[in-house]
Amino acid sequence: MAITKTNAMRMLDAKKIGYEVFFYDNEDGLIHGTAVAEKIGKAAETVFKTLIAHSGANLYVFVIPVAEELDLKKAAKAAGEKKIEMLPVKDLQKWTGYIRGGCSPVGMKKLYPTFIDSSAESQETIAVSAGKIGQQMDVSPQLLAGVTNAKFTDLIK
């Protein structure tokens, strides 16, 4: 079966970064992170979700394990802001080009300041959205950080 490449995959291909794609059935509507981890047969601590937060007009990308919750105080500190809040879901596609459940840290409309939870550093690979609901990609966290100019930092509660 030929894979229709997403923007995220094309960007990794262009940078010669290897990744493995996993497909999962989303017909049941279960697209939250822990369900996705189960569907692709991966431990929840190796599957990461992409969250977008903002402070005024500044947007920030946070990549954390699917079973964890973003600590907004830690996120604000990492971003050098006094306070940040989550971007409303209705604004996600406008700013990133992605929809909820298919938001990849790679290939957004713009390269926003990106932060990956430090727990990823000890993993050989982590799974992140490939940019489309029903598709995940396994990639080295160091290579992911390189392509997104991300910093590793403590982000979870």
Side-chain angles (χ1 to χ4, degrees):
M1 175 177 104
I3 298 174
T4 303
K5 300 267 181 164
T6 63
N7 278 348
M9 292 178 211
R10 283 191 286 275
M11 281 195 76
L12 293 181
D13 288 346
K15 302 269 188 196
K16 308 253 187 286
I17 293 173
Y19 59 92
E20 183 179 359
V21 178
F22 293 89
F23 297 92
Y24 63 91
D25 180 18
N26 59 328
E27 294 296 314
D28 58 9
L30 297 176
I31 59 169
H32 61 83
T34 51
V36 170
E38 201 171 292
K39 289 178 181 186
I40 64 171
K42 297 236 169 231
E45 58 272 8
T46 66
V47 181
F48 283 61
K49 58 188 171 186
T50 304
L51 303 173
I52 312 300
H54 71 100
S55 177
N58 298 325
L59 260 61
Y60 300 97
V61 178
F62 298 96
V63 183
I64 66 169
V66 294
E68 302 296 340
E69 193 179 335
L70 180 65
D71 184 316
L72 289 173
K73 283 186 172 37
K74 289 179 182 177
K77 184 179 178 197
E81 297 281 1
K82 282 189 170 118
K83 184 181 169 206
I84 62 169
E85 53 189 47
M86 297 305 296
L87 185 71
V89 173
K90 66 178 178 56
D91 295 335
L92 190 62
Q93 189 169 16
K94 172 180 153 189
W95 293 105
T96 67
Y98 291 125
I99 61 169
R100 182 186 171 274
C103 188
S104 178
V106 181
M108 290 187 190
K109 287 181 173 182
K110 240 180 104 181
L111 185 59
Y112 297 108
T114 303
F115 304 90
I116 302 172
D117 186 67
S118 51
S119 65
E121 280 187 290
S122 62
Q123 306 289 344
E124 192 174 316
T125 62
I126 61 171
V128 295
S129 174
K132 188 174 177 188
I133 295 173
Q135 295 182 16
Q136 291 284 117
M137 57 188 185
D138 234 10
V139 64
S140 151
Q142 286 74 20
L143 295 176
L144 177 65
V147 77
T148 58
N149 292 335
K151 293 181 176 77
F152 289 100
T153 188
D154 180 25
L155 295 170
I156 56 179
K157 286 190 174 179

